[in-house]
């Protein structure tokens, strides 16, 4: 506490020193106000919106060594300050808007560093300072207020990749808020994202959370459900599921190294039925999930022993009363470690093609398929075979053959995750985001039976289709995604890309609002949009100096396109570009 106050005092001293030398009267008054404010907060409670913003920023700086530090339900806890000031004539809407834009600029100044592979997983200097707006109050009423709209206006007026904003949507969300949010989406910066209260609250209730706390959830990281002050995610790995399929097809052996990594479940060529092979794959998947859970527990023990966090610990519910470190406490909702599949849709498409071509139609033998994959689909015979596998049914087109496998595998993942204990208490939770792990994950994985080449990026998100494979429009895609029981998941990310011409009019925005609401009514969890045309992306790739301000949505965050590596740029370019929201 004293250290944070001392930290604020340094800004007081600096502002006073700058004010004493400042000749411009307006700027000197501004510096003097900064000095008075920094002396006041966070040592004492904020008295107005200006002080509340400064107090928030000082406190937020104390927890931002983590790139996933959440801003919580900002429009809920900040609105009373704004409302009081507006009623008393102490602040104008324009002045509040300027402060909200300043917050975006300050957050952009917080950079992070990491190693080469981590930079691939977090492409574009990713961070997830996620501000949640909208939704419902703890008693179930609509939570939208004037600050909700002003936050969206700040994003539109100051279009930076960070901080990110997520809109909670429920049945009673005002259409005016949806349209305001979609006006921002229309600008092409990939914000805000939208999450469905029905699925998120449903998940939390399944986990034993009270209705009041469930209604108060906020986004942590990309799009994970968190109870402010009452939950914490510590370990969040990126589990590359197509790699497990590759090992399963080689009887538990990693083909590049020859090392046995999984159990011997049978040679692929020896299986006589698809159900037998699917059972073998699930056995391999469970084996590696168990290892993943062990890894998570080891990491959490290391964090608990070596990285105490007194500030964050004190900010948790009853933190000072408990007097315990963040990782030494138990919470009603334990989500310290999660199981997160990357590239599961590639596995779904691969298994759908295997079932059709190898087992049902017997057009290709197991040995022939393995040889084509080893050749990376190169050579006349393998290239012809690849076309068959590309033409097989694909998830994302409202095709029950593929979608039923998606439902089955995501269900298996959720049920398996819940069997593994965490060292903090409770069980592992299933979740689903990719960040940009589809790049390094794909680089580690050989050719796959969905027609993908070795080393290519995997499918993005969790319930997104493989790029270019969803050919029947966004309605078909959300129908496919809704067949997965997303209520079992803490998060489930869905990306869509629209051509700018599809969102020209207010009627276009209303259609997209209806699509979002329809998806959430079917227990969809999350949806977000890129609004950009392929030609612009290709030109930006060729002439980056002309497009330095081009922003795209990756997974649970936005980034400058020109700061991405070429594989991630190609992945975004390759995503299906829809012409209409219908």
């Amino acid at each position: 506490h004293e250290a944070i106050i001392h930290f604020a005092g340094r800004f007081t001293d600096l502002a006073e020193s700058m004010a004493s030398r400042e000749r411009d009267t307006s700027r000197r008054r501004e510096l003097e106000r900064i000095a008075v404010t920094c002396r006041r907060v966070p040592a004492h409670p904020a008295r107005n919106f200006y002080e509340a913003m400064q107090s928030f920023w000082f406190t937020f700086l104390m927890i931002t060594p983590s790139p996933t530090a959440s801003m919580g339900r900002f429009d809920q806890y900040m609105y009373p300050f704004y409302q009081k000031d507006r009623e008393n004539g102490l602040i104008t809407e324009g002045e509040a808007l300027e402060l909200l834009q300043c917050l975006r600029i300050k957050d952009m100044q917080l950079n992070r560093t990491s190693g080469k592979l981590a930079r691939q997983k977090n492409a574009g200097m990713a961070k997830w300072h996620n501000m949640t707006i909208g939704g419902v109050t703890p008693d179930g009423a609509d939570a939208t207020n004037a600050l909700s709209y002003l936050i969206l206006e700040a994003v539109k007026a100051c279009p930076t990749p960070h901080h990110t904003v997520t809109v909670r949507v429920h049945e009673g969300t005002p259409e005016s808020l949806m349209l305001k949010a979609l006006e921002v989406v229309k600008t092409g910066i990939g914000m805000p994202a939208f999450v469905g209260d029905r699925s998120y609250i449903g998940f939390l209730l399944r986990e034993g959370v009270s209705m009041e706390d469930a209604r108060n959830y906020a986004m942590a990281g990309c799009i994970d459900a968190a109870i402010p002050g009452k939950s914490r995610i510590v370990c969040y790995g990126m589990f590359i599921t197509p790699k497990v399929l590759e090992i399963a097809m080689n009887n538990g052996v990693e083909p590049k190294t020859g090392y046995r990594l999984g159990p011997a479940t049978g040679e692929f060529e020896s299986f006589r039925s698809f159900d037998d092979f699917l059972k073998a794959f699930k056995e391999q998947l469970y084996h590696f999930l168990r290892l993943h859970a062990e890894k998570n527990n080891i990491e959490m023990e290391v964090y608990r022993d070596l990285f105490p966090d007194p500030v964050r610990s004190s900010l948790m519910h009853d933190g000072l009363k408990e007097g315990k470190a963040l990782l030494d406490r138990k919470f009603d909702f334990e989500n310290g470690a999660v199981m997160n599949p990357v590239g599961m849709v590639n596995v779904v498409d691969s298994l759908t093609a295997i079932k059709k071509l190898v087992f049902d139609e017997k057009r290709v033998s197991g040995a022939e398929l393995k040889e084509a994959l080893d050749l990376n689909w190169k050579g006349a015979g393998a290239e012809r075979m690849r076309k068959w596998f590309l033409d097989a049914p694909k998830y994302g087109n409202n095709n029950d053959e593929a979608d039923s496998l998606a439902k089955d595998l995501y269900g298996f993942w959720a049920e398996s995750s819940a069997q593994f204990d965490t060292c903090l208490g409770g069980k592992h939770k299933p979740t689903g985001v990719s960040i940009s792990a589809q790049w390094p994950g794909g680089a580690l994985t050989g050719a796959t039976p969905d027609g993908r080449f070795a080393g290519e990026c995997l499918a993005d998100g969790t319930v997104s289709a493989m790029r270019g494979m969803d050919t029947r429009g966004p309605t078909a895609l959300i129908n496919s995604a809704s067949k997965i029981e997303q209520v079992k998941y803490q998060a489930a990310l869905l990306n869509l890309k629209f051509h700018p011409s599809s969102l020209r009019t207010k009627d276009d925005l209303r259609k997209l609002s209806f699509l979002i609401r329809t998806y959430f009514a079917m227990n969809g969890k999350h949806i977000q949009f890129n609004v950009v045309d392929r030609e612009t992306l290709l030109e930006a790739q060729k002439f980056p100096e002309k497009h330095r301000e081009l922003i795209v949505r990756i997974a649970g965050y936005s980034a400058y396109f020109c700061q991405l590596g070429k594989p991630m740029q190609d992945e975004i370019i390759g995503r299906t570009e829809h012409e209409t929201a219908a």
Side-chain angles (χ1 to χ4, degrees):
H1 177 69
E2 291 179 3
I4 299 174
I5 294 173
H6 178 71
F7 176 68
R10 289 163 51 191
F11 285 87
T12 300
D13 295 341
L14 177 60
E16 288 178 339
S17 175
M18 293 174 66
S20 68
R21 300 190 305 271
E22 182 59 57
R23 295 183 179 181
D24 182 87
T25 302
S26 177
R27 175 57 176 162
R28 183 171 65 251
R29 288 175 180 169
E30 187 176 55
L31 289 166
E32 289 170 346
R33 186 181 188 188
I34 290 172
V36 169
T37 302
C38 293
R39 186 178 292 112
R40 170 77 190 179
V41 297
H44 304 283
R47 297 167 297 187
N48 53 53
F49 187 72
Y50 187 96
E51 289 182 354
M53 288 288 288
Q54 184 62 68
S55 185
F56 164 81
W57 184 244
F58 277 144
T59 306
F60 194 67
L61 284 174
M62 297 299 104
I63 63 174
T64 47
S66 167
T68 59
S70 174
M71 292 182 170
R73 301 190 70 186
F74 194 89
D75 64 343
Q76 300 305 295
Y77 61 78
M78 292 294 285
Y79 179 64
F81 296 100
Y82 176 71
Q83 181 186 35
K84 182 180 177 182
D85 284 3
R86 289 287 286 153
E87 290 174 351
N88 294 329
L90 299 178
I91 195 171
T92 66
E93 184 178 285
E95 289 168 337
L97 179 62
E98 182 180 10
L99 291 175
L100 292 169
Q101 292 180 72
C102 286
L103 178 60
R104 300 192 62 77
I105 294 169
K106 294 299 292 183
D107 193 68
M108 281 297 298
Q109 294 173 345
L110 300 176
N111 292 326
R112 61 186 299 222
T113 58
S114 56
K116 180 180 178 182
L117 287 178
R119 288 197 299 274
Q120 291 179 359
K121 185 192 76 172
N122 308 324
M125 301 188 72
K127 53 189 180 189
W128 304 268
H129 297 160
N130 208 329
M131 180 183 288
T132 306
I133 65 173
V136 295
T137 61
D139 62 3
D142 177 53
T144 307
N145 58 49
L147 195 55
S148 311
Y149 292 90
L150 208 57
I151 289 165
L152 292 171
E153 183 60 30
V155 180
K156 187 176 180 182
C158 185
T160 55
H162 308 293
H163 59 84
T164 194
V165 175
T166 301
V167 177
R168 281 180 48 179
V169 181
H170 64 103
E171 289 182 2
T173 295
E175 186 67 358
S176 57
L177 183 70
M178 295 295 290
L179 293 177
K180 181 67 175 179
L182 290 171
E183 284 176 9
V184 181
V185 167
K186 181 180 176 179
T187 67
I189 67 171
M191 270 186 271
F194 300 83
V195 294
D197 274 4
R198 179 174 178 172
S199 187
Y200 273 92
I201 292 173
F203 165 78
L204 292 167
L205 293 176
R206 285 169 56 98
E207 295 294 328
V209 175
S210 70
M211 177 62 83
E212 184 178 69
D213 281 343
R215 286 170 170 164
N216 197 41
Y217 79 91
M219 294 294 99
C222 288
I223 56 165
D224 278 275
I227 309 301
K230 296 183 178 182
S231 67
R232 69 274 196 261
I233 301 174
V234 183
C235 288
Y236 206 127
M238 300 286 138
F239 187 108
I240 311 303
T241 51
K243 191 67 185 175
V244 177
L245 177 62
E246 186 176 42
I247 291 170
M249 292 185 70
N250 287 276
N251 195 20
V253 174
E254 202 288 314
K256 292 180 183 176
T257 63
Y259 293 149
R260 173 164 295 284
L261 301 181
T265 50
E267 296 293 341
F268 181 60
E269 302 91 325
S270 69
F271 288 102
R272 293 293 173 260
S273 75
F274 175 74
D275 287 343
D276 287 343
F277 176 63
L278 181 61
K279 181 180 178 181
F281 169 71
K282 288 180 177 178
E283 184 178 339
Q284 296 283 352
L285 187 58
Y286 190 87
H287 167 78
F288 286 105
L289 276 170
R290 180 177 55 78
L291 294 177
H292 184 34
E294 184 177 341
K295 165 190 167 290
N296 282 346
N297 281 322
I298 292 170
E299 287 184 5
M300 285 191 290
E301 288 288 4
V302 171
Y303 291 147
R304 178 156 57 186
D305 293 342
L306 299 182
F307 301 103
D309 192 339
V311 175
R312 200 184 300 256
S313 298
S314 68
L315 294 174
M316 300 301 285
H317 178 69
D318 283 342
L320 297 179
K321 178 182 176 181
E322 289 285 333
K324 294 179 181 179
L326 173 66
L327 301 185
D328 285 331
R329 293 184 58 187
K330 296 288 186 281
F331 293 94
D332 291 338
F333 175 51
E334 281 294 347
N335 64 337
V338 295
M339 299 287 205
N340 178 51
V342 174
M344 183 69 90
V345 163
N346 298 99
V347 174
V348 169
D349 288 348
S350 294
L351 289 175
T352 303
I354 287 172
K355 180 179 184 299
K356 177 181 176 65
L357 296 168
V358 177
F359 292 101
D360 292 349
E361 298 180 0
K362 302 188 186 304
R363 195 187 312 183
V364 177
S365 71
E368 289 171 332
L369 174 58
K370 279 191 65 177
E371 182 181 6
L373 296 177
D374 290 341
L375 293 172
N376 195 22
W377 300 112
K378 300 295 172 61
E383 289 174 6
R384 182 175 64 255
M385 194 184 302
R386 177 174 180 259
K387 187 178 185 307
W388 298 341
F389 280 81
L390 282 172
D391 289 343
K394 295 289 187 290
Y395 165 85
N397 297 289
N398 198 22
N399 179 286
D400 284 337
E401 193 172 354
D403 298 346
S404 62
L405 264 172
K407 178 180 179 179
D408 179 40
L409 289 178
Y410 276 112
F412 178 81
W413 182 278
E415 291 158 11
S416 299
S417 300
Q419 296 179 32
F420 301 113
D421 294 324
T422 80
C423 63
L424 299 182
K427 302 289 187 178
H428 278 75
K429 301 291 184 285
T431 195
V433 304
S434 62
I435 313 179
S436 58
Q438 63 265 35
W439 173 9
L444 291 170
T445 307
T448 43
D450 57 347
R452 176 189 147 276
F453 290 114
E456 256 194 301
C457 283
L458 303 170
D460 75 88
T462 313
V463 295
S464 306
M466 179 60 171
R467 59 191 170 278
M469 295 295 106
D470 48 329
T471 59
R472 295 186 59 193
T475 301
L477 176 56
I478 68 167
N479 281 335
S480 289
S482 66
K483 295 174 191 175
I484 297 167
E485 294 180 272
Q486 296 182 36
V487 73
K488 294 180 178 180
Y489 277 73
Q490 185 167 278
L493 192 148
L494 174 60
N495 268 313
L496 273 83
K497 186 170 76 171
F498 284 100
H499 191 280
S501 63
S502 65
L503 298 178
R504 284 177 178 163
T505 69
K506 200 165 187 176
D507 281 344
D508 293 333
L509 300 185
R510 287 196 181 98
K511 290 178 184 177
L512 188 51
S513 172
F514 181 74
L515 180 80
I516 295 168
R517 290 181 187 272
T518 300
Y519 181 48
F520 291 160
M522 297 189 294
N523 278 322
K525 230 174 190 75
H526 158 274
I527 193 168
Q528 62 190 23
F529 308 97
N530 271 307
V531 181
V532 63
D533 60 274
R534 177 182 174 86
E535 290 71 25
T536 297
L537 294 173
L538 289 171
E539 183 178 316
Q541 196 175 51
K542 189 174 182 180
F543 304 107
E545 68 281 357
K546 297 180 180 179
H547 297 273
R548 296 196 183 279
E549 295 186 357
L550 177 61
I551 298 173
V552 293
R553 191 74 171 185
I554 310 298
Y557 68 102
S558 294
Y560 288 115
F561 181 78
C562 296
Q563 288 184 353
L564 302 174
K566 188 175 185 299
M568 272 309 301
Q569 290 182 343
D570 289 343
E571 195 272 313
I572 291 169
I573 291 169
R575 293 178 187 177
T576 303
E577 187 175 294
H578 297 288
E579 299 289 340
T580 175

